Amino acid sequence: MFDQYNEGTGSEYARIFRLLSAAKEEAEKLQLRNLMHLTNMALLQVVIDWDGIDPDRELDVNLEKLLGSKAKIAMKDASENLILIDRH
């Protein structure tokens, strides 16, 4: 009947943030500027959704600071589950 909106959990947002960050790093290495811009926009959107911010109403939100804090959270969560593989 009704489509139920399923709000993601913090760990889901953190996972998406990490995946997009990895894609952005690869785009930088390959000098794919358009892809870098797209991943930056996607990262901002993830942060906005993660915090439930309405950019039209909350004009005074410091997105750069919020992006940094969410990056710390996402990467902290990743370190607990991170396995490093040494390439030869």
Side-chain angles (χ1 to χ4, degrees):
M1 289 187 153
F2 297 106
D3 289 333
Q4 185 177 1
Y5 176 73
N6 186 9
E7 188 173 317
T9 65
S11 62
E12 291 170 333
Y13 283 114
R15 180 177 170 274
I16 293 169
F17 192 97
R18 288 190 301 271
L19 290 170
L20 286 169
S21 294
K24 179 184 169 192
E25 288 176 13
E26 289 301 316
E28 287 174 358
K29 289 177 188 174
L30 297 171
Q31 297 181 355
L32 300 172
R33 300 203 191 290
N34 288 337
L35 185 55
M36 288 168 41
H37 292 301
L38 287 172
T39 53
N40 278 330
M41 291 188 312
L43 283 167
L44 272 176
Q45 188 62 53
V46 168
V47 168
I48 288 169
D49 291 345
W50 192 348
D51 249 24
I53 295 171
D54 182 357
D56 293 333
R57 295 185 184 174
E58 301 175 47
L59 300 175
D60 60 343
V61 174
N62 185 340
L63 290 177
E64 186 176 343
K65 184 177 178 181
L66 188 59
L67 185 65
S69 67
K70 293 302 184 186
K72 287 179 185 176
I73 292 169
M75 297 311 163
K76 180 186 82 66
D77 290 347
S79 66
E80 297 170 0
N81 299 322
L82 188 63
I83 298 172
L84 296 176
I85 298 173
D86 189 20
R87 295 190 328 189
H88 298 282

